[in-house]
């Protein structure tokens, strides 16, 4: 028996496999229930008691050697499988790569940009950390004016004030300081307000600001441009209406409503049974703002508008909680896969 075992050990040591099947054949031959190793263990009964101990040790060695050999060969083939085998077998299915999807805010932002790009607006961006000048003073917010309280500000430093911009209107000033009219641009970006987070409000959100400065720009141009946007974005049936409003940087100022695209104006939950939903603020750029940027307000006029991207997306997709945009819950985001 001892000789038999030694011969098997030899065989194990010199065994080489070219395929995984050969490894499996080897395993079955030595280690399966009816294989050589269990067979030898059952022969132990006939070994005289004084030789059993030694025989048991040799047998265990044989078993371990066979197991080590199988493990060693298996690991070689497992490694090969990742590369060589996969690429040589062209019938194997490809690894499934899960595609991501665009965030709804990005989808809506891109759509707004596309609509305005097609009518000649270029895109500019400005910093999120601003001075008081760009966020308030140059935009005609007087010192200590209650209009500053309309927007709860996150201050980074006081005197001189450095803050997180509360609106993208700050980019108007940066662009008008740098460029000569005609200016026709939109400014998408992130804005910050010190507000309690709820289903309706967040301390971080996105806006798109628009600005058009040239000779003879009128309120009619403003209305037509925004009407064009509304019909492109919400559908050709959409109607618009303008209500007088107040912003320090525009005179006159207005808010634009669109006819409810859910009920067509008949009244529903989305429009709170009024038939209209508010989508943006706008107006003719106040001459003081033009002068603050060294643009001759006798020669040039212009209009501006600003809208919230979350608000617009909430309307378009009927999302009733703004917090969903910031939670990155895959179940929410996946719903927009087809909207790319
Ligand atoms: N900046 C305003 C806000 O955040 C929105 C706005 C209103 C922008 C009127 C404008 C405008 O350009 O003309 O509430």
């Amino acid at each position: 028996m001892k000789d038999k075992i030694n011969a098997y050990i030899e065989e194990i040591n010199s065994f080489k496999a070219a395929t995984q099947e050969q490894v499996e054949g080897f395993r079955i031959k030595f280690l399966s229930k009816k294989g050589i190793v269990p067979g030898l263990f059952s022969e132990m009964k006939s070994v005289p008691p004084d030789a059993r101990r030694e025989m048991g040790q040799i047998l265990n060695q044989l078993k371990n050697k066979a197991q080590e050999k199988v493990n060693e060969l298996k690991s070689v083939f497992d490694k090969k499988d990742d590369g060589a085998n996969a690429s040589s077998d062209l019938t194997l299915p490809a690894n499934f790569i899960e595609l991501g999807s665009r965030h709804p805010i990005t989808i809506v932002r891109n759509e707004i940009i596309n609509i305005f790009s097609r009518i000649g607006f270029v895109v500019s961006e400005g910093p999120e950390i601003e001075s008081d000048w760009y966020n308030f003073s140059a935009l005609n917010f007087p010192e200590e004016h209650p209009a500053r309280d309309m927007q709860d500000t996150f201050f980074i430093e006081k005197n001189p004030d450095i803050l997180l911009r509360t609106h993208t209107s700050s980019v108007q000033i940066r662009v008008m300081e740098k460029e000569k009219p005609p200016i026709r641009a939109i400014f998408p970006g992130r804005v910050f307000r010190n507000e309690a987070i709820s289903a309706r409000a967040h301390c971080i959100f996105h806006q798109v600001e628009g600005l058009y400065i040239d000779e003879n720009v009128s309120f009619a141009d403003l209305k037509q441009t925004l009407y064009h946007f509304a019909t492109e974005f919400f559908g050709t049936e959409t109607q618009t209406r303008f209500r007088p409003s107040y912003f320090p940087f525009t005179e006159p100022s207005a808010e634009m409503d669109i006819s409810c695209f859910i009920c067509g104006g008949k009244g529903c939950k989305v429009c709170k049974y009024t038939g209209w939903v508010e989508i943006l603020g706008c107006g003719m750029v106040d001459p003081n703002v033009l002068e603050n940027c060294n643009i001759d307000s006798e020669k040039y006029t212009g209009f501006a508008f600003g809208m919230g991207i979350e608000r617009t997306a909430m309307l378009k997709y009927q999302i009733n909680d703004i917090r969903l945009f910031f939670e990155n819950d895959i179940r929410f985001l996946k719903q927009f896969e087809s909207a790319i």
Side-chain angles (χ1 to χ4, degrees):
M1 192 166 167
K2 214 170 164 180
D3 293 342
K4 232 182 358 185
I5 294 174
N6 281 332
Y8 285 137
I9 289 182
E10 278 288 289
E11 186 183 335
I12 291 171
N13 283 341
S14 58
F15 179 74
K16 288 196 173 56
T19 65
Q20 245 163 329
E21 286 71 41
Q22 286 173 1
V23 180
E24 183 58 7
F26 175 86
R27 188 192 66 78
I28 291 168
K29 180 175 169 187
F30 281 93
L31 296 167
S32 68
K33 258 192 190 152
K34 290 187 179 146
I36 290 166
V37 173
L40 288 170
F41 271 110
S42 60
E43 277 178 39
M44 284 282 281
K45 287 189 283 267
S46 56
V47 174
D50 54 345
R52 259 187 214 160
R53 201 180 133 85
E54 191 198 357
M55 199 58 78
Q57 280 173 351
I58 306 176
L59 249 180
N60 271 327
Q61 267 178 28
L62 176 75
K63 183 182 161 193
N64 292 340
K65 274 220 174 304
Q67 190 59 57
E68 277 165 21
K69 190 80 179 184
V70 169
N71 293 347
E72 178 194 318
L73 291 171
K74 266 196 175 157
S75 76
V76 170
F77 282 104
D78 282 352
K79 266 188 214 137
K80 272 195 188 161
D81 220 25
D82 293 344
N85 280 10
S87 60
S88 59
D89 184 353
L90 299 177
T91 63
L92 286 177
N95 285 341
F96 179 66
I97 301 169
E98 189 135 12
L99 286 181
S101 56
R102 279 195 216 291
H103 194 283
I105 294 302
T106 308
I107 295 170
V108 170
R109 173 184 176 274
N110 289 351
E111 199 172 335
I112 296 171
I113 291 175
N114 285 341
I115 293 170
F116 283 103
S117 301
R118 290 199 292 271
I119 53 171
F121 283 75
V122 297
V123 177
S124 283
E125 285 181 8
E128 292 174 350
I129 298 175
E130 273 295 13
S131 62
D132 173 90
W133 170 254
Y134 290 104
N135 199 78
F136 291 124
S137 297
L139 285 161
N140 204 34
F141 283 78
E143 201 76 33
E144 309 298 335
H145 192 281
R148 292 192 186 219
D149 296 337
M150 278 162 67
Q151 304 180 348
D152 304 304
T153 311
F154 283 119
F155 288 95
I156 292 175
E157 271 171 39
K158 280 292 224 175
N159 275 331
D161 288 353
I162 305 291
L163 45 90
L164 294 178
R165 67 180 178 194
T166 58
H167 53 182
T168 43
S169 303
S170 54
V171 192
Q172 280 188 31
I173 304 301
R174 292 194 169 266
V175 168
M176 286 193 282
E177 276 182 353
K178 256 195 353 242
E179 290 169 30
K180 299 250 151 310
I183 296 168
R184 210 193 275 137
I186 53 169
F187 320 120
R190 202 155 56 150
V191 300
F192 307 85
R193 290 194 196 171
N194 192 356
E195 286 197 34
I197 296 172
S198 70
R200 300 253 116 222
H202 210 287
C203 57
I204 302 174
F205 56 102
H206 300 77
Q207 290 185 331
V208 176
E209 183 86 8
L211 179 70
Y212 180 25
I213 312 284
D214 203 349
E215 290 178 39
N216 301 319
V217 177
S218 70
F219 202 91
D221 297 316
L222 164 65
K223 283 173 75 176
Q224 189 58 30
T225 305
L226 293 178
Y227 173 73
H228 172 76
F229 164 72
T231 52
E232 288 285 298
F233 191 87
F234 291 103
T236 46
E237 300 298 303
T238 311
Q239 290 172 8
T240 54
R241 80 175 181 189
F242 290 78
R243 285 179 289 104
S245 184
Y246 171 75
F247 300 101
F249 36 92
T250 43
E251 183 58 37
S253 303
E255 272 163 302
M256 186 175 89
D257 298 339
I258 55 164
S259 55
C260 182
F261 53 94
I262 302 296
C263 63
K266 287 193 205 76
C268 70
K269 244 169 117 177
V270 170
C271 62
K272 299 197 189 85
Y273 302 96
T274 62
W276 297 91
V277 279
E278 182 200 321
I279 59 161
L280 54 79
C282 58
M284 301 305 293
V285 178
D286 192 298
N288 289 342
V289 175
L290 295 175
E291 294 298 335
N292 284 340
C293 304
N294 293 320
I295 290 176
D296 184 352
S297 62
E298 297 290 327
K299 188 171 174 198
Y300 294 106
T301 53
F303 66 73
F305 58 88
M307 69 184 101
I309 302 184
E310 279 78 1
R311 185 179 161 67
T312 311
M314 285 167 84
L315 285 172
K316 178 146 187 159
Y317 298 122
Q318 291 177 60
I319 296 163
N320 55 18
D321 193 325
I322 194 171
R323 290 169 292 200
L324 285 164
F325 292 119
F326 302 95
E327 284 164 359
N328 285 334
D329 184 326
I330 290 286
R331 293 165 300 178
F332 172 70
L333 297 177
K334 262 188 172 289
Q335 298 176 72
F336 302 92
E337 268 170 355
S338 57
I340 294 172

